């Protein structure tokens, strides 16, 4: 069994005392790098038990010392941990109903927020007419500025969740998101709408920032793929479904009703989140348990097993700078973030230009042009189904063989994702330019959607599995650059199509997509070697 599979299996067999990536961050950040390097050099028969700040040493003497520390910790009456492997307070031991209820709520929040990014797109022409705006750059900006908000929000919300827990971050951000959406609905000019859209994106980014962490709190690695599939449904499928609803709603009731509908949905899910979700972050749960015991027993020497002794302010500062360090210093994080930014940018370029293409080329109305997004939605759904039905099975089989490594999340999806996206872009662009039957470019967009899902789903699983203690920061770094790409690339759409038309314009994007493919395949083949050679200490 290699380092990854041994570490992960022991991590969850120990009753979940260190059950997710964020807990390991608190328990001993620098230790994780040393642990992974030591395991890669030789196999050892013992790993540290949850929460120790001591670096793992290889050798008999080190094993004995480690075991002695574990034994002393187990018998230390002042250490507060879980009450055995089956402790019902441990989120890993919650019922399947509770776990999937919470996963469903997080997934719904994660669906509504990206839905809002594109649902507004078909109504932009109504906004420009009402506010007498003729600047086409502002038309594209009022849609994409929301994505920019989604980029910046996680930089603050993810670190705050490591200090105050998950539940409070979900609650506060959901309430603010609902308020900001109301503000969008009552905006009186374009500048006001742009500002409120940006703030709504910032407030609504909490599930993108900490949703993967919540799933890691609840599910062991061999169950995580299916849960991540539901969680990732929103960011990938939501932007494809949004315009379908938004197009008909804008045509029937006007663009403001798009935001009123979003307000109703976000308000309802906020109530459900407050009522039915519970705190899942073990560091916060054990800290609360420690305080209760201190109060009831009067013993102020009690301390949580996951308490690193680091002040909250220091934890917050470290967590804030960590995504930036990973973005700049980790080759894997850099490659995946840049690729995700480009592919997400392509997705939103298509989302913002579908009305232009189908209204100009095919004479569709606002409502009917919204239906053209169904191709993306169908492709995304197919990709989600393929990943959820195959990923966990393959990972479980590799684990049974003792060969599991994080890169197994990428196979075989990275072999086909790039060519699928590129092929879909070629198909979409040239059929739209030739004004062939309207279904032809929609089929091309479905291929783009399929490729998108087979890229983003493995990336999400890989970042959670590969970066262990730094997974939340890796996801945050990826989310930031991905959202920046989604916000900025669409701004070049009009000038690109004006110069190259739809055929060569989309072909340019397809060629650039293919240029990333060899690097993604190399990541699958050599990712483990790169991770061990370039560890990042933050």
């Amino acid at each position: 069994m290699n380092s990854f599979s041994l570490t992960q299996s022991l991590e969850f067999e120990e009753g979940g005392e260190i059950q997710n990536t964020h807990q390991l961050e608190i328990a001993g950040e620098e230790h994780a790098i040393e642990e992974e390097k030591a395991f890669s050099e030789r196999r050892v028969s013992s790993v540290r038990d949850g929460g120790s700040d001591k670096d793992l040493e290889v050798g008999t003497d080190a094993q004995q010392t480690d075991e002695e520390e574990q034994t002393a910790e187990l018998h230390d009456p002042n250490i507060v941990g879980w009450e055995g492997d089956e402790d019902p307070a441990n989120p890993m031991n919650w019922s399947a109903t509770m776990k999937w209820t919470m996963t469903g709520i997080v997934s719904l929040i994660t669906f509504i927020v990206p839905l809002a990014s594109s649902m507004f797109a078909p109504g932009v022409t109504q906004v420009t007419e009402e506010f007498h705006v003729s600047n086409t750059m502002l038309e594209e900006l009022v849609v994409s500025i929301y994505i920019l908000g989604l980029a910046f929000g996680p930089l603050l919300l993810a670190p705050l969740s490591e200090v105050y827990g998950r539940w409070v971050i979900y609650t506060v951000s959901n309430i603010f998101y609902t308020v900001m959406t109301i503000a969008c609905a009552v905006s009186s000019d374009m500048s006001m709408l742009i500002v409120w859209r940006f703030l709504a994106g910032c407030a609504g980014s909490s599930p993108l920032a900490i949703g993967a962490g919540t799933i890691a709190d609840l599910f062991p690695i061999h169950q995580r793929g299916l849960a991540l599939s539901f969680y990732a449904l929103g960011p990938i499928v939501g932007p494809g479904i949004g315009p379908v609803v938004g197009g008909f709603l804008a045509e029937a009731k006007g663009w403001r009703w798009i935001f009123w509908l979003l307000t109703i949905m976000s308000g309802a899910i906020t109530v459900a989140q407050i009522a039915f979700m519970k705190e899942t972050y073990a560091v916060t749960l054990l800290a609360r348990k420690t305080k209760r015991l201190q109060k009831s027993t009067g013993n102020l020497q009690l301390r949580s097993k996951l308490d690193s002794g680091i002040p909250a302010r220091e934890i917050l500062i470290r967590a804030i700078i960590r995504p930036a360090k990973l973005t700049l210093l980790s080759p894997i994080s850099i490659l995946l973030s840049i690729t995700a930014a480009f592919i997400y940018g392509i997705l939103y370029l298509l989302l913002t230009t579908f009305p232009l293409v189908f209204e100009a080329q095919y004479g569709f109305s606002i409502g009917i042009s919204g239906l053209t997004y169904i191709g993306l939605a169908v492709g995304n759904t197919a990709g989600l189904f393929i990943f959820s039905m195959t990923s966990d099975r393959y990972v479980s089989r590799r684990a049974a063989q003792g060969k599991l490594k994080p890169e197994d999340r990428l196979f075989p999806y990275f072999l086909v994702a790039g060519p699928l996206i590129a092929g879909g872009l070629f198909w979409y662009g040239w059929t739209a330019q030739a004004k062939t039957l309207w279904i032809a470019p929609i089929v091309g967009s479905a291929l783009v959607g399929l490729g998108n899902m087979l890229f983003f789903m493995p990336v999400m699983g890989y970042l959670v599995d590969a970066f262990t203690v730094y997974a939340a920061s890796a996801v945050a770094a990826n989310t930031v650059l991905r959202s920046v790409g989604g916000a900025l690339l669409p701004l070049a759409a009009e000038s690109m199509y004006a110069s190259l038309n739809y055929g060569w314009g989309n072909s340019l994007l397809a060629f650039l997509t293919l240029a990333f493919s060899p690097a993604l395949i190399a990541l699958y083949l050599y990712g483990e070697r790169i991770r061990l050679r370039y560890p990042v200490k933050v």
Side-chain angles (χ1 to χ4, degrees):
M1 184 179 294
N2 64 21
S3 62
F4 175 77
S5 57
L6 181 58
T7 303
Q8 290 289 349
S9 62
L10 288 176
E11 175 182 333
F12 293 107
E13 287 171 6
E14 289 297 326
E17 291 188 344
I18 291 187
Q19 61 183 343
N20 61 58
T21 58
H22 301 290
Q23 295 162 13
L24 286 171
E25 284 182 18
I26 303 296
E29 298 167 325
E30 294 184 359
H31 165 70
I33 298 300
E34 299 300 326
E35 180 186 37
E36 189 171 31
K37 290 170 67 178
F39 269 128
S40 68
E41 292 168 359
R42 71 174 81 174
R43 297 178 63 186
V44 296
S45 61
S46 173
V47 297
R48 68 174 174 89
D49 187 18
S52 172
D53 286 331
K54 184 182 185 303
D55 288 341
L56 179 67
E57 299 173 355
V58 180
T60 303
D61 293 339
Q63 285 181 2
Q64 292 175 349
T65 303
D66 210 30
E67 291 171 359
E68 289 172 359
E69 283 196 357
Q70 294 172 17
T71 302
E73 188 177 71
L74 288 173
H75 291 87
D76 187 345
N78 291 324
I79 296 297
V80 178
W82 302 120
E83 302 298 329
D85 293 348
E86 305 299 326
D87 188 350
N90 183 346
M92 281 285 179
N93 297 325
W94 290 353
S95 68
T97 300
M98 174 62 74
K99 289 183 178 182
W100 282 105
T101 296
M102 298 183 67
T103 300
I105 292 173
V106 172
S107 298
L108 282 174
I109 302 171
T110 314
F111 174 75
I112 291 172
V113 171
L115 182 78
S117 65
S118 62
M119 191 174 178
F120 175 59
V124 171
T125 54
Q126 293 180 342
V127 175
T128 56
E129 290 173 3
E130 180 177 336
F131 295 152
H132 307 291
V133 174
S134 57
N135 189 329
T136 55
M137 183 72 73
L138 287 179
E139 293 182 34
E140 295 162 352
L141 181 62
V142 75
V143 175
S144 61
I145 193 67
Y146 181 87
I147 314 302
L148 205 58
L150 294 179
F152 288 103
L155 294 177
L156 181 61
L157 295 179
L160 286 174
S161 75
E162 297 176 5
V163 177
Y164 300 106
R166 318 264 195 231
W167 187 90
V168 66
I169 299 301
Y170 282 127
T171 301
V172 173
S173 63
N174 287 342
I175 291 173
F176 271 95
Y177 176 76
T178 304
V179 172
M180 296 301 106
T181 305
I182 294 173
C184 290
V186 299
S187 295
S188 58
D189 57 52
M190 182 66 86
S191 298
M192 183 182 295
L193 181 57
I194 290 174
V195 171
W196 291 128
R197 283 273 288 173
F198 173 75
L199 294 177
C202 291
S205 64
S206 64
L208 303 178
I210 62 179
T214 300
I215 290 173
D217 293 344
L218 296 169
F219 294 95
I221 187 173
H222 62 279
Q223 299 175 359
R224 196 178 296 159
L226 182 59
L228 283 172
S229 295
F230 283 99
Y231 165 71
L233 184 68
I236 306 302
V237 176
I241 295 177
V244 178
V245 179
F248 283 107
L249 187 58
E251 191 173 49
K253 295 290 186 179
W255 66 269
R256 294 183 188 273
W257 260 100
I258 294 175
F259 292 108
W260 287 122
L261 178 59
L262 289 170
T263 299
I264 294 169
M265 292 191 296
S266 61
I269 198 63
T270 298
V271 172
Q273 177 261 312
I274 294 173
F276 298 110
M277 281 193 70
K278 297 163 60 177
E279 181 58 62
T280 62
Y281 191 34
V283 174
T284 299
L285 292 173
L286 289 182
R288 292 175 181 175
K289 180 179 180 180
T290 302
K291 289 181 179 179
R292 289 196 303 268
L293 291 174
Q294 286 176 341
K295 184 176 180 179
S296 62
T297 65
N299 181 7
L300 299 181
Q301 299 301 314
L302 295 173
R303 63 183 179 88
S304 166
K305 185 171 186 174
L306 299 180
D307 181 7
S308 64
I310 302 174
R313 180 181 178 183
E314 180 67 19
I315 293 173
L316 189 60
I317 292 174
R318 290 187 185 186
I320 288 175
I321 65 174
R322 190 175 295 121
K325 285 191 173 182
L326 282 171
T327 300
L328 296 174
L329 302 178
S330 169
I332 289 176
S333 180
I334 293 170
L335 172 62
L336 290 179
S337 295
I338 292 175
T339 308
F342 178 70
I343 293 179
Y344 211 58
I346 290 175
L347 174 62
Y348 273 90
L349 184 146
L350 295 180
L351 291 173
T352 56
T353 57
F354 267 19
L356 172 67
V357 172
F358 286 97
E359 290 175 23
Q361 295 289 93
Y362 294 93
F364 286 2
S365 66
I366 294 177
I368 297 300
S369 66
L371 291 175
T372 61
Y373 292 85
I374 289 179
L376 278 172
V378 170
N380 289 334
T381 304
L384 173 68
F385 179 80
I386 292 171
F387 179 83
S388 61
M389 290 296 103
T390 58
S391 180
D392 279 349
R393 293 180 183 179
Y394 181 69
V395 167
S396 296
R397 186 165 65 249
R398 294 284 290 177
Q401 296 170 350
K403 300 177 180 179
L404 181 63
K405 59 182 181 179
E407 285 70 26
D408 290 325
R409 284 287 183 195
L410 307 178
F411 181 81
Y413 315 107
F414 269 18
L415 301 178
V416 298
L420 278 172
I421 295 172
L425 288 170
F426 284 127
W427 190 329
Y428 166 76
W430 288 107
T431 55
Q433 181 169 319
K435 296 184 181 181
T436 58
L437 186 64
W438 55 268
I439 192 64
I442 292 177
V443 171
S445 70
L447 291 177
V448 175
L450 176 61
N452 273 337
M453 186 62 82
L454 294 182
F455 171 78
F456 284 111
M457 286 302 306
V459 167
M460 183 70 67
Y462 176 67
L463 291 176
V464 173
D465 291 348
F467 279 86
T468 59
V469 298
Y470 304 132
S473 298
V475 171
N478 188 271
T479 300
V480 168
L481 287 185
R482 181 186 72 193
S483 299
V484 169
L488 298 183
L489 188 57
L491 300 180
E494 185 176 3
S495 58
M496 180 186 72
Y497 285 148
S499 300
L500 301 176
N501 211 329
Y502 301 118
W504 281 113
N506 286 286
S507 294
L508 174 62
L509 298 177
F511 287 129
L512 292 174
T513 302
L514 289 175
F516 282 103
S517 295
L520 296 179
I521 295 173
L523 177 59
Y524 166 70
L525 296 174
Y526 307 109
E528 185 175 31
R529 186 183 307 175
I530 296 172
R531 283 188 291 108
L532 298 177
R533 185 172 181 180
Y534 300 100
V536 180
K537 293 185 178 181
V538 292

